[in-house]
Amino acid sequence: MQKISKLGVLTSGGDAPGMNPCIRAVVRTAIYNGISVVGIRQGYKGLIENDMFEMGTRSVSNILNLGGTILKTARCMEFHTVEGREKAYKNLKDHDIDALVVIGGDGTFTGALKFSQQFPDVRVMGIPGTIDNDLYGSTYTLGFDTATNTVIDAIDKIRDTADSHDRLFFIEVMGRDSGAIALRAGIACGAEGILLPEKATAIDELIELLKKGEFNKKSSSIVIVAEGDKSGNIYDLAKKVKQQISNYDIKVTVLGHLQRGGAPSSFDRILGSRLGYAAVNALMSGHTQEMVGLEANVIKTTPIEEALTGHKFKLEDDLLQMVDVLSI
Ligand code: ATP
């Protein structure tokens, strides 16, 4: 097996808290093992535009506690093309880079797989970095825990004002096609309703539920709506409910990008460190076209193809049933 002498690392797609601890772990594990490291700025864009720099152990000092990514991230259409990936390959070869660690979500992994199939001599390892928690092969992705805590913190504050004014709040949270943040935050904040993309919502049922809450003398209600929920625009939804429940003052809050920011939680710092360390070790052992993940507290690798096609978010019916019971 060919020994790796130089490794490139990039972050791509949406940023996620925990990427920095992960970069730090990749850089230090590689250097510890005698492998040079090149940081690639702005994901695949930097790879194509040759925006790279040598990294040392000190270039990742004091970043464990920082949100975002020191390598920056971007979305890059050119990487979708064979020619774009050829340019990227040429730049990697010019820098004598023989392995690549990509930290990102499903789009990033699709790009990594295509690149690796086109140029199999560059070993590629993926690390799941996305707040959406939508990749198969890792129970948790980097950033999910921090983002969920951020959402909980925001909803706690909203609950204070909702309670003071007898208000009903519809709160939209991120997650693309995944309801993972919505479900966890809904449980932690005692939401009266949780609307998820994985489950069709009957508006009548929701209205019934909220009326019951009113009858039971609830002074406020919170309904969490995952951004990928199929019942339509959150403002239209609030209007429809308003027509049937007039007592409540109904408000809508879209939490938006604040969910991506902030210092990574202890969980994401440790997860990032473990996955970064594991990714370099896996590459050194000859693995390629795989993703490192954590399942049942054990680090494992999964072929990228499987990480992309495996069905991640099995709707946790037991959790939803629990929400119905606990929110009476
Ligand atoms: P998040 O889940 O946080 O949005 P992501 O990794 O899914 O992160 P994307 O914007 O979907 O974010 O993908 C990141 C980058 O990966 C794209 O900008 C593009 O450069 C590359 N990429 C995505 N899909 C493909 C594809 N089909 N072929 C080649 N490259 C791709």
Side-chain angles (χ1 to χ4, degrees), residues 12-14 44 75-76 79-80 105-108 110-111 114 130 132 176:
S12 158
Y44 296 131
R75 310 210 189 249
C76 171
F79 203 71
H80 286 249
D106 53 353
T108 300
T110 307
K114 284 192 178 171
T130 165
D132 303 339
R176 289 241 196 142

Side-chain angles (χ1 to χ4, degrees), residues 51-184:
D51 189 1
M52 309 182 193
F53 62 105
E54 298 278 338
M55 296 183 85
T57 50
R58 296 281 76 76
S59 54
V60 289
S61 295
N62 301 327
I63 64 165
L64 267 170
N65 56 327
L66 301 182
T69 158
I70 59 160
L71 291 176
K72 311 275 185 193
T73 181
R75 310 210 189 249
C76 171
M77 287 314 290
E78 205 180 344
F79 203 71
H80 286 249
T81 65
V82 170
E83 298 73 26
R85 295 194 293 271
E86 268 165 9
K87 278 190 209 167
Y89 178 74
K90 184 181 172 303
N91 288 332
L92 281 178
K93 288 287 120 179
D94 287 349
H95 284 272
D96 296 320
I97 294 171
D98 39 25
L100 195 58
V101 174
V102 300
I103 308 168
D106 53 353
T108 300
F109 285 5
T110 307
L113 186 61
K114 284 192 178 171
F115 179 80
S116 179
Q117 285 165 342
Q118 200 176 335
F119 304 107
D121 58 316
V122 178
R123 271 180 242 169
V124 174
M125 191 58 54
I127 298 181
T130 165
I131 65 167
D132 303 339
N133 204 29
D134 57 355
L135 285 160
Y136 179 81
S138 192
T139 312
Y140 297 108
T141 57
L142 275 182
F144 168 66
D145 182 69
T146 307
T148 305
N149 282 320
T150 303
V151 168
I152 290 168
D153 189 44
I155 295 177
D156 282 349
K157 291 185 170 115
I158 291 171
R159 177 73 85 176
D160 288 345
T161 173
D163 222 22
S164 306
H165 290 272
D166 284 356
R167 277 179 176 153
L168 161 59
F169 267 87
F170 283 86
I171 302 171
E172 186 183 282
V173 304
M174 280 183 166
R176 289 241 196 142
D177 296 326
S178 155
I181 292 179
L183 181 56
R184 293 300 191 291

